[in-house]
Amino acid sequence: MKNTSVKFIFITGGVVSSLGKGLASASLGALLQARGYSIKLRKLDPYLNVDPGTMSPYQHGECYVTDDGAETDLDLGHYERFTGVPAKKSDNITTGKIYSNVIAKERRGDYLGATIQVIPHVTDAIKEYILSDINEEDFILCEIGGTVGDIESLPFIEAIRQLGNELGLTQTCFIHVTLLPFIKAAGELKTKPTQHSVKELQGMGIQPDILLCRTENIIPEEQKSKIALFCNLKSESVIEALDSSSIYKVPISYHNQGLDLQVCKHFYLDVLKKPDLSRWNKINHIQNSSEGNVNIGIVGKYTSMIDAYKSLIEAINHGGLANKIKVTIKWIDSEKLEILNSNFNNIFKDINGIIVPGGFGERGSEGKINAINFARINKIPFLGICFGMQMAVIEFARNVLNLKDASSSEFGKTKLPLVGLLTEWQTKTGFEKRSKESNLGGTMRLGAYDCKLAEGSFIKSIYKKEVIAERHRHRYEVNNKYISDFKKKGLIFSGMSPDNSLPEIFEIPLHPWFIGVQFHPELKSKPFDPHPLFSSLINASLKQSRLL
Ligand code: GLN
C-alpha cells in the first residue's frame, strides 16, 4: 500500500438483512466528499459465487456492470450514483473469488508446502485485497455483505478485526448498522436486538465506533443513552437512521444526525469545516417542488423482483429530476402480453412511455415484442435496452420488413438469426473470443465500449457528442447484414461500433421517440447528472401525457 495515511471505514450489518447498508455506505461516502475528501467504496460479499454474474436476478437483484467490465453487486450502483466515482473491478470481492485465488496459489506451490487454513491464508488474502489498488484516496469505505453472525462472513469479520489491530484507531473506524424495531403494543422502540448484535461483534473482537440505527420512529435521547451504555459507546455515536421518503434525502438526513461529524471526530479531522451539501439540497428541492406526473411502463419478466431493475428505476427517477416532474413506474409482466388478444389498450391506457429493459431467455419475449409493436404503432415513446433493443429489431423485421422468421439464436436454432451470437470482437486490448461452449460466467461483451453517433441523427442531438462510451452486458448482437433493408423502411442504425461492424443504436425518425440501445445507459445515470437518454425520454413522455 503506497498511501500510508489512508483511512478505512468498515461497515457491517446486524439484526436483519436489507437494512440499506449499501445506501448508508454510499451516503457516508457522499458526505465525506462534501467535506472535501476523496473516497473509494468497496463491497466484500461473503457468498461463494465468484461474482454475481451468474446469479438469478430473482435472488440477487441487478448485476451492476462497471466500465472495466466487471459484473458486480448492485450496491456498487448506489456507490457510483451517490459519489460519481466510477466503480471498478477491484471494488467488489466475494468469498468465491478469494478462495479461487487462494486455491490457485496453493496449486502453484506458492505456499511452499504450508497447510492452508482460513486463518491466516484466507484472512491474509482478504486483507491483501482490502489494501490493494489504493492510490491517493483519503478514505476507503468497505461494506461487508450479510449480517453479523452469518457463518459465511466470519473470515471477513476476522480480517477486518486484524486490520483494526494492525493499523490502529487512527486509521480504522467500525460502523455497525442495526435495526430498532418498534413494538406497537408497548409503543416503544426496542434496543435489545441491537445490544445482542453488538455483543456478537464484540465477541469477534470488534468494538463498533459508531452505530447507525435504522428506525421508523425518532429515537428518544434516553434510548440512545441506553444503547450507548450497553454497547460501550458515547451517546453521540449512536446515530438515528430514520426511514426516508427518498433515497436522495438520506445523505442530508444522516448529516443532520451527525454521522460524518462523528467519523471526523473519530479520526481527529477538522470538525469545524461545514460540508458543501449544495448538490443534495438541490435534488431535495426539486423533489419537493416537482409538479406533474408521467407514467412509465416497464415491460419485463422480473417484475416481481424490482431490485432486478435497480439502476433502471433510478435512471428513470433522474429523468424525472431533469424535467422537474414525478415519474410513476407501472410494472407490466411481459408474459401477460403473450396473448395477442390481451386488451393492450386497457393495459397501456395511462402509460406515457414504454421501456423494455435488458433480459435473458425466451420466456416472455413474445410479450415484449407485442408491447414494442403497440408502442411503435401508437406512437408511444419507447426505449429498448439491450434485450429490449434486440426484440424491437425483431419486431420491426417481422412486421415491417416482412421477415416473419426473424428471431434470436438465444432462443435456439432459428431460420433467420437476426440477432445472433458474436464469436469474435475487438476490445480495447485486442480480440475477445467465445463459442457456444464457453462458460456462462464472465464471457459476455462486458463493460464500456465506444459508439459513434451518426451525423444529423436524433440520438446525436440527445447526447450532443460524436462518440459515446456506454456499458455492455450481452452475448448476442444484431446482425449487420440487414442494416440497409431496415433503413429503406424507416429504421436507421444511428450508432455503430467504431469499426462499423456492430449496430449499437437504432431510431425511427418518423416516430416521436423510438430508440433502441444495445448497451445499458441506466448504469451511468446520476441524480445530479441525469443520463441524457432518460431526460429526453421522460420529456417526450411528458409531451405524450399532454396529448392524452
Ligand atoms: N440476452 C441478451 C444477450 O445476451 C441481452 C442481454 C441483456 O439484456 N443484458 O445478448
Side-chain angles (χ1 to χ4, degrees), residues 236-412:
E236 59 183 24
S237 305
V238 178
I239 310 278
E240 171 186 293
L242 199 60
D243 288 356
S244 173
S245 58
S246 155
I247 57 171
Y248 301 121
K249 293 194 172 144
V250 172
I252 290 182
S253 151
Y254 287 5
H255 167 72
N256 291 340
Q257 294 302 318
L259 177 62
D260 46 319
L261 181 71
Q262 291 311 317
V263 169
C264 290
K265 274 192 178 169
H266 173 90
F267 288 118
Y268 298 101
L269 296 169
D270 182 3
V271 287
L272 296 175
K273 206 172 112 201
K274 287 258 166 295
D276 174 9
L277 296 170
S278 49
R279 83 170 19 168
W280 298 103
N281 284 325
K282 198 171 146 203
I283 293 169
N284 280 199
H285 175 74
I286 298 176
Q287 279 184 325
N288 294 339
S289 58
S290 291
E291 276 175 28
N293 178 68
V294 294
N295 295 328
I296 297 292
I298 300 184
V299 181
K301 71 175 175 188
Y302 310 118
T303 48
S304 57
M305 171 57 173
I306 58 170
D307 264 2
Y309 302 110
K310 193 98 230 163
S311 295
L312 179 62
I313 298 170
E314 291 315 318
I316 293 171
N317 287 334
H318 305 160
L321 288 174
N323 288 280
K324 300 190 171 57
I325 51 164
K326 293 200 166 59
V327 185
T328 307
I329 294 176
K330 305 265 179 182
W331 298 98
I332 302 164
D333 178 357
S334 51
E335 282 185 273
K336 300 224 166 84
L337 304 176
E338 305 258 87
I339 329 144
L340 259 183
N341 56 9
S342 358
N343 192 347
F344 278 72
N345 279 319
N346 200 26
I347 295 172
F348 290 107
K349 171 165 94 258
D350 51 2
I351 301 267
N352 314 116
I354 296 176
I355 297 179
V356 177
F360 291 83
E362 190 165 18
R363 190 163 58 82
S365 60
E366 290 301 321
K368 292 177 186 174
I369 290 178
N370 292 340
I372 295 165
N373 179 268
F374 187 84
R376 184 172 59 77
I377 308 253
N378 294 289
K379 304 249 183 279
I380 301 172
F382 166 80
L383 173 63
I385 298 175
C386 202
F387 192 75
M389 178 256 201
Q390 297 172 353
M391 294 307 107
V393 174
I394 291 174
E395 188 282 321
F396 199 88
R398 286 186 192 169
N399 299 321
V400 183
L401 304 189
N402 215 17
L403 299 169
K404 294 293 176 207
D405 289 325
S407 188
S408 167
S409 49
E410 181 169 0
F411 310 151

Side-chain angles (χ1 to χ4, degrees), residues 423-443:
T423 50
E424 210 178 64
W425 74 100
Q426 179 78 51
T427 68
K428 285 201 171 101
T429 49
F431 264 107
E432 189 96 25
K433 277 187 190 224
R434 69 184 154 200
S435 72
K436 281 202 185 75
E437 286 73 40
S438 295
N439 279 343
L440 280 185
T443 57

